């Protein structure tokens, strides 16, 4: 057990360190994660034998839930709404066209069995949101004509359709499908998935709005549980859990949640870890010694998918909408395959359907080539097609962009001798770049204007620019005991060699914001910071 944990920790540490390089390379480091899996696997250096596809499927399915939920959570609906219809057509009709054309190519050109060919097309038909987002973010590639938002919604929402096609084909191949059964399956997948996604999201938002968590960080744990529940509840009833998780993510990501910045940081790190997990397991499950047998067919499928199937689907959908030819070309190219295809391939491996073709290693090769070639060349093609917008920030197309307005809030209590009592807001002298934004009076919330009068007992909320600096600041607590030299001393009389400032005094359950005349008493708790 200890050896397993040691290996796991080493793998995660290596992956996290390598992931920091991805921003400089302009491509997700997913290839490196796969390579590490291969090195640790049966054909690698450490010879770790791992062929438990059932366990891998459970782990990867959980990881995909988080990735899809956060894909929705990061979708800024105000930016995506104008292109939502195009994106949803690409993620549904486009997936069906791509899967169908790829399946026909595998059957008539490569002479695979027809149903197995269509199954390959279904598994590989969706694009990878995580890879697309990573490239756009790392290189700050803002694309003209809302192309970034179109790609964001399409890649985030097409996994449920690919999943539905995959399970329909597995049902047909297993001899369990009837016309009525398939019709109900499609109905259940779409309706249950959509309805539960909306219902669960709004219940969660209402709960978060009304409930106060006892401990910081529990809101992130709560949303994580909601993401899993959004998948699990419709799945039990035959609905599309991935669709439900995505819809729940969109709704919650576009609501005014408390502590949203910390939630973004939490899910950003967790999603990165889930990507590492999926691609490492892909490498661990793969046998490079099997690659030569399926390499040529895999290259042929990858080329057909990239140069024919995907462009045909994109042009068929976008051409009637009068999109620019250059935009259609870029959307066609930005069809990276990734995490979802891996999970669906593993799902095929654990099904009770007999598969003659080595689908897993074919998908392995296609994903590897897609990330390496399409991912690397995406910035180049965007520039050549003159679709880069140098005057905008692509991060603003995501609802998890949290650094746009770096503002912090300050609370002041208007006590009995406060100089602002009975003053009007317009007469109060505030520091530069500071604004009085709220007055709390008993249970009343007042949005002030210049003629708002300040009363005794009011709680004033000020806004000011947030502090960002590389200076290392240490916040420390100090208790004044009976032997302290500072007991009975006014703050202005403290030794000037003290390189810090007292920002708070906690005295008998009260909080005092001190000034120079504040006299320190025994058992006071001083909160101060100093530059180190």
């Amino acid at each position: 057990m200890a050896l397993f944990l040691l290996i796991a920790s080493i793998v995660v540490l290596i992956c996290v360190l390598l992931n920091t390089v991805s921003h400089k390379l302009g491509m997700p480091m997913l290839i490196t994660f796969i390579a590490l899996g291969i090195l640790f696997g049966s054909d690698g250096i450490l010879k770790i034998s791992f062929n438990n596809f059932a366990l891998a499927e459970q782990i990867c399915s959980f990881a995909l839930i988080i990735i899809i939920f956060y894909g929705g959570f990061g979708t800024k609906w105000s930016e995506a709404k104008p292109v939502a219809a195009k994106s949803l057509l690409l993620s549904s009709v486009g997936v069906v066209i791509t899967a169908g054309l790829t399946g026909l190519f595998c059957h008539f050109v490569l002479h695979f069995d027809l149903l197995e060919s269509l199954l390959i097309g279904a598994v590989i038909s969706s694009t990878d949101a995580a890879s697309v987002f990573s490239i756009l973010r790392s290189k700050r590639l803002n694309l003209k004509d809302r192309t970034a938002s179109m790609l964001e919604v399409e890649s985030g929402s097409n996994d449920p359709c690919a999943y539905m096609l995959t399970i329909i084909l597995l049902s047909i191949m297993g001899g369990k499908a009837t016309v009525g059964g398939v019709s109900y399956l499609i109905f259940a997948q779409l309706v249950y998935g959509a309805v539960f996604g909306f219902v669960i999201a709004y219940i969660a938002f209402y709960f978060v709005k009304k409930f106060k968590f006892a401990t910081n960080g529990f809101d992130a744990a709560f949303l994580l549980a909601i993401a899993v529940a959004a998948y699990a509840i419709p799945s039990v009833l035959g609905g599309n859990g991935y669709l439900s998780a995505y819809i729940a993510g969109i709704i919650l990501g576009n609501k005014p949640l408390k502590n949203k910045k910390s939630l973004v940081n939490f899910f950003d790190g967790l999603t990165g870890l889930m990507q590492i997990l999926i691609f490492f397991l892909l490498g661990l499950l793969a046998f490079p010694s099997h690659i030569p047998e399926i390499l040529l067919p895999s290259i042929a499928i990858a080329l057909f998918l990239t140069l024919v199937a995907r462009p045909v689907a994109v042009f068929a959908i976008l051409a009637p909408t009068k999109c620019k030819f250059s935009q259609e070309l870029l959307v066609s190219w930005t069809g990276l395959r990734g995490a979802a295809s891996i999970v669906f391939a593993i799902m095929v491996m654990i099904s009770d359907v007999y598969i003659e073709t080595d689908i897993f290693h074919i998908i392995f090769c296609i994903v590897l080539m897609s990330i390496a070639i399409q991912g690397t060349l995406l910035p180049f093609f965007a520039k050549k097609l003159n679709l880069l917008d140098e005057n905008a920030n692509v991060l603003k197309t995501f609802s998890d962009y949290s650094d746009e307005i770096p503002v912090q809030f300050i609370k002041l209590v208007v006590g009995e001798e406060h100089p602002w009592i009975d003053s009007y807001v317009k007469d109060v002298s505030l520091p530069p770049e500071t604004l009085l934004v709220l007055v709390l009076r008993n249970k009343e919330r007042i949005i002030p204007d210049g003629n708002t009068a300040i009363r005794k007992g009011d709680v004033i909320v000020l806004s000011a620019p947030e502090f960002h600096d590389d200076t290392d600041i240490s916040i420390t607590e100090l208790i004044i005991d009976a032997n302290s030299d500072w007991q009975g001393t006014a703050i202005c009389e403290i030794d000037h060699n003290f390189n810090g400032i007292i920002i708070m005094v906690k005295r008998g359950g009260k909080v005092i914001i001190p000034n120079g005349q504040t006299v320190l008493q025994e058992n006071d708790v001083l909160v101060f910071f100093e530059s180190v």
Side-chain angles (χ1 to χ4, degrees):
M1 179 66 177
L3 180 61
F4 171 79
L5 291 176
L6 177 62
I7 294 173
S9 63
I10 290 173
V11 170
V12 173
L13 288 172
I14 293 173
C15 290
V16 169
L17 291 174
L18 289 173
N19 194 41
T20 60
V21 186
S22 64
H23 295 291
K24 297 180 181 179
L25 296 181
M27 181 184 72
M29 290 296 293
L30 305 179
I31 296 176
T32 306
F33 305 154
I34 295 174
L36 281 174
I38 293 174
L39 287 175
F40 279 77
S42 299
D43 280 359
I45 297 174
L46 297 185
K47 305 291 183 183
I48 297 176
S49 179
F50 181 78
N51 59 357
N52 191 336
F53 281 90
L55 176 61
E57 192 271 339
Q58 293 177 0
I59 295 172
C60 290
S61 293
F62 173 77
L64 188 60
I65 293 167
I66 305 304
I67 292 172
I68 290 177
F69 174 82
Y70 189 55
F73 193 88
T75 298
K76 191 173 184 179
W77 186 246
S78 60
E79 293 288 331
K81 187 176 180 180
V83 293
K86 300 174 185 177
S87 299
L88 294 177
L89 284 173
L90 287 171
S91 65
S92 54
V93 178
V95 166
V96 174
I97 294 174
T98 301
L101 291 177
T102 304
L104 294 175
F105 173 80
C106 292
H107 178 64
F108 288 107
V109 178
L110 302 179
H111 306 295
F112 293 169
D113 175 78
L114 178 59
L115 289 178
E116 290 188 12
S117 298
L118 292 173
L119 184 61
I120 292 173
V123 168
I124 205 68
S125 59
S126 66
T127 58
D128 186 48
S131 299
V132 173
F133 296 172
S134 179
I135 294 172
L136 293 177
R137 290 169 185 257
S138 64
K139 285 297 184 179
R140 301 293 178 99
L141 296 178
N142 192 65
L143 306 176
K144 297 177 182 178
D145 303 321
R146 297 186 185 273
T147 306
S149 294
M150 186 189 304
L151 292 170
E152 175 194 1
V153 177
E154 186 226 350
S155 58
S157 63
N158 58 15
D159 294 339
C161 186
Y163 171 76
M164 185 173 66
L165 291 178
T166 301
I167 62 172
I168 288 174
L169 285 165
L170 287 175
S171 298
I172 295 173
M173 295 173 70
K176 302 176 182 178
T178 62
V179 175
V182 171
S183 299
Y184 176 75
L185 190 152
I186 295 173
F187 168 82
Q189 285 279 301
L190 297 177
V191 175
Y192 295 166
V195 170
F196 277 102
F198 278 101
V199 172
I200 291 172
Y202 277 102
I203 291 175
F205 174 66
Y206 181 80
F207 183 84
V208 169
K209 187 177 179 180
K210 297 295 183 180
F211 185 79
K212 184 177 182 180
F213 293 96
T215 305
N216 290 334
F218 271 34
D219 50 352
F222 175 77
L223 278 191
L224 178 59
I226 289 298
V228 175
Y231 168 84
I233 294 174
S235 295
V236 170
L237 301 174
N240 195 316
Y242 295 118
L243 176 61
S244 176
Y246 181 71
I247 291 175
I250 287 182
I251 294 172
L252 290 171
N254 286 273
K255 292 293 184 182
L257 300 177
K258 298 177 182 178
N259 302 321
K260 190 169 185 180
K261 187 173 182 178
S262 62
L263 291 173
V264 166
N265 292 335
F266 171 78
F267 277 101
D268 211 20
L270 183 61
T271 303
L273 183 60
M274 295 300 101
Q275 290 181 64
I276 290 172
L277 188 59
I278 289 179
F279 282 88
F280 178 78
L281 282 177
L282 173 62
L284 199 62
L285 289 167
F287 285 82
S289 58
H290 295 181
I291 299 299
E293 302 173 12
I294 50 85
L295 182 59
L296 291 179
S298 299
I299 293 174
I301 296 171
L303 289 174
F304 180 84
L305 180 66
T306 305
L307 302 178
V308 180
R310 167 77 176 176
V312 168
V314 170
F315 277 86
I317 292 169
L318 296 186
T321 65
K322 298 181 180 179
C323 282
K324 294 180 180 178
F325 181 72
S326 58
Q327 186 181 37
E328 293 172 348
L329 281 176
L330 187 63
V331 172
S332 298
W333 183 258
T334 315
L336 280 70
R337 313 296 145 171
S341 297
I342 296 167
V343 176
F344 300 155
I346 295 174
M347 189 172 69
V348 170
M349 295 297 295
I350 66 169
S351 69
D352 54 4
V353 176
Y354 173 73
I355 306 292
E356 183 178 352
T357 309
D358 188 356
I359 289 181
F360 177 78
H361 283 95
I362 288 176
I363 300 302
F364 172 86
C365 290
I366 294 173
V367 168
L368 201 60
M369 287 184 281
S370 177
I371 294 172
I373 299 173
Q374 291 175 268
T376 302
L377 295 178
L378 175 55
F380 171 78
F381 278 118
K383 185 175 182 179
K384 287 296 182 182
L385 292 171
N386 194 30
L387 283 174
L388 291 182
D389 188 349
E390 304 291 349
N391 299 318
N393 184 356
V394 70
L395 297 182
K396 294 183 180 180
T397 67
F398 301 98
S399 71
D400 56 6
Y401 177 59
S402 57
D403 292 329
E404 183 177 353
I405 307 175
V407 171
Q408 62 181 350
F409 295 99
I410 304 167
K411 182 179 75 171
L412 299 176
V413 178
V414 180
E416 291 185 2
E417 298 181 359
H418 200 284
W420 290 359
I421 293 177
D422 295 331
S423 298
Y424 292 103
V425 169
K426 63 184 178 181
D427 298 325
V428 171
S429 178
L430 295 174
E433 299 185 13
T434 304
L435 181 66
L436 199 160
V437 296
L438 184 65
V439 177
L440 302 176
R441 182 173 297 160
N442 297 324
K443 294 184 179 180
E444 186 181 4
R445 299 165 62 91
I446 302 172
I447 305 297
D449 58 27
N451 295 317
T452 301
I454 298 175
R455 305 301 183 196
K456 183 177 72 173
D458 284 353
V459 176
I460 305 296
V461 180
L462 306 177
S463 68
E466 188 174 1
F467 174 74
H468 287 289
D469 192 73
D470 293 332
T471 305
D472 189 4
I473 294 177
S474 174
I475 297 178
T476 310
E477 285 192 356
L478 175 67
I479 299 176
I480 302 296
D481 58 27
N483 299 319
S484 175
D485 294 336
W486 290 359
Q487 183 190 3
T489 303
I491 289 178
C492 63
E493 299 173 354
I494 290 177
D495 186 357
H496 292 291
N497 292 325
F498 170 61
N499 186 28
I501 183 170
I502 300 171
I503 59 176
M504 182 188 300
V505 178
K506 293 189 281 189
R507 178 180 297 166
K510 295 182 179 180
V511 173
I512 300 172
I513 304 299
N515 56 39
Q517 303 305 315
T518 302
V519 177
L520 303 180
Q521 301 177 7
E522 185 178 351
N523 296 322
D524 280 354
V525 179
L526 310 186
V527 180
F528 63 91
F529 73 77
E530 54 186 335
S531 182
V532 295

